[in-house]
Amino acid sequence: MKYLYTLFILLSMTSIFFSPADKHELNELSFTFAIGLDYIKDGYEVSVQLINPAAISGNAPTQNSRYIVYKASGKTIDTALERVSVNISRFVLLSQVDVVILSEKLAREEKIQEVADYILNSPQIPSNAYIVIARGINAGELLKVYSPVEGTSAFEITNIIKKIGRDIPKTSSQIKVDEIKEGKDIALPFIEIIGDLKKGQENGNFETTSPSHIAYGGLSLFKNNKLTTFIDYRDGAYLSLLQESAAGFTIEPSCPNRENGYFAYRVFSNNANESNIEIHEDKYIFHFDLRLKGDINQYHCNLNLDEPKDVEKLEEKVRETINTKVQELLKVSQDNELDPIGLGLMLSEDNPKEWKKIKEEWPSLLNNAEIKLNTEISFQHLGNFKSGSD
């Protein structure tokens, strides 16, 4: 934990030295890296996770918690934050906030754009702070979970989101860009608690080999500013794949020749782009070119990988699996009349005249949309596999 304390001090001193002269002294400030927002009937309940330097320094034993979570409510986020500040002896510094957590209930109340606007207009909270959804749990309760790896849930959540990579992490700036461009609905990462919540909020969570912990669950999909549904992280990878990312995940096709086995194709490079859009009366066909490179890491099929024809059969099974998953993703979009892929955005950029005619009906017109893939698969490393029966 000493490296966390060193980082904390460096950030603290930087904020002091590069702030106006009328700012407060370091020993008058409390630092936070995460804010939680929950829904109440007439506004917001805001939770602030304040770091306790004495507990994480490692210089002397202490029974104090590594952090403290304060909460207060108000009609606006600002009002609630003011009430949090009144409850403690120090000034709350928000300039180091890395992540803003919204509860599922708040996200279903059409508050996402309001929160994004607040962060963009706030002189305190960085506009590049990640926005994530807490599924099935209040944001304030999630902040109380002890992280056995990072120490605080703020660091845990931030590192989880950064580790995901791809095109998933979202900030208020990215949300506003999607809103301004039109034709693409919001997709935000969601996190959840694995294990018992109550045990995860106790110090004993550091002392067990099976701790309760925070995990990335997948994507939360929005329609008209309102959380509508979730897709798990495996399905979310195929959404990222269409957006020229999603390297570093595994596709698990079944074996050719009607076998019961499977093999694992690990993608480490992806080059994707939309090639063209066909319009036939009220039918919209979106073409994507995908260029994937990867390795076979596990193999349970009765084919010899020294034979080029057998390798071609595996390539075809990877293409079939990708196409099936993308069509399932399109079906989710059609059933919920939302467009996280950004097909409407593609149409607006490719054919502005057509988009102007139909944009008021989009994405309900997704029922008339098709996605066709032209997928090129490359195996960089086949391993020493010859036959799953050997």
Side-chain angles (χ1 to χ4, degrees), residues 1 3 19 126 149 159 181 216 218 304 308 382:
M1 297 303 296
Y3 81 96
S19 296
V149 176
N159 288 340
K181 282 186 174 180
Y216 169 62
N304 192 333
L382 296 175

Side-chain angles (χ1 to χ4, degrees), residues 218-316:
L219 295 180
S220 46
L221 306 183
F222 288 74
K223 176 184 178 181
N224 297 331
N225 198 26
K226 182 178 181 179
L227 173 60
T228 302
T229 191
F230 296 97
I231 57 174
D232 69 25
Y233 75 96
R234 295 285 302 162
D235 294 329
Y238 290 93
L239 174 59
S240 296
L241 184 147
L242 295 176
Q243 298 171 344
E244 200 174 359
S245 50
F249 83 106
T250 301
I251 299 172
E252 297 177 341
S254 59
C255 293
N257 303 332
R258 298 183 179 180
E259 299 177 44
N260 294 325
Y262 67 92
F263 63 98
Y265 177 65
R266 179 74 173 177
V267 179
F268 62 76
S269 175
N270 174 34
N271 182 9
N273 65 280
E274 61 273 10
S275 57
N276 68 294
I277 302 172
E278 295 181 60
I279 303 176
H280 301 288
E281 296 182 354
D282 61 346
K283 195 75 173 177
Y284 302 92
I285 303 174
F286 297 85
H287 293 264
F288 287 83
D289 292 332
L290 307 180
R291 302 290 180 267
L292 274 66
K293 295 180 181 180
D295 295 335
I296 293 182
N297 289 338
Q298 282 186 273
Y299 186 67
H300 302 281
C301 301
N302 294 314
L303 294 175
N304 192 333
L305 299 187
D306 289 334
E307 296 292 334
K309 288 185 178 180
D310 286 349
V311 173
E312 289 176 4
K313 292 179 181 179
L314 297 182
E315 291 173 354
E316 180 59 30

Side-chain angles (χ1 to χ4, degrees), residues 23-43:
K23 294 298 181 181
H24 307 287
E25 296 296 330
L26 181 60
N27 61 1
E28 297 176 331
L29 297 172
S30 287
F31 294 82
T32 179
F33 296 96
I35 295 176
L37 302 178
D38 288 297
Y39 174 78
I40 60 173
K41 185 176 181 181
D42 296 319

Side-chain angles (χ1 to χ4, degrees), residues 368-382:
N368 300 329
E370 291 183 15
I371 294 178
K372 292 189 176 181
L373 304 178
N374 175 28
T375 306
E376 181 180 296
I377 303 298
S378 297
F379 296 130
Q380 299 299 296
H381 179 65
L382 296 175

Side-chain angles (χ1 to χ4, degrees), residues 18 39 67 70 84 94 99 106 115 122 124 131 143 180 197 203 208 231 239 251 280 308 321 331:
F18 290 93
Y39 174 78
Y67 58 85
Y70 284 93
V84 168
L94 303 176
V99 61
L106 179 67
V115 171
S122 172
Q124 303 181 75
I131 300 177
L143 284 178
I180 292 170
L197 173 61
N203 271 316
T208 175
I231 57 174
L239 174 59
I251 299 172
H280 301 288
T321 302
K331 185 66 164 57

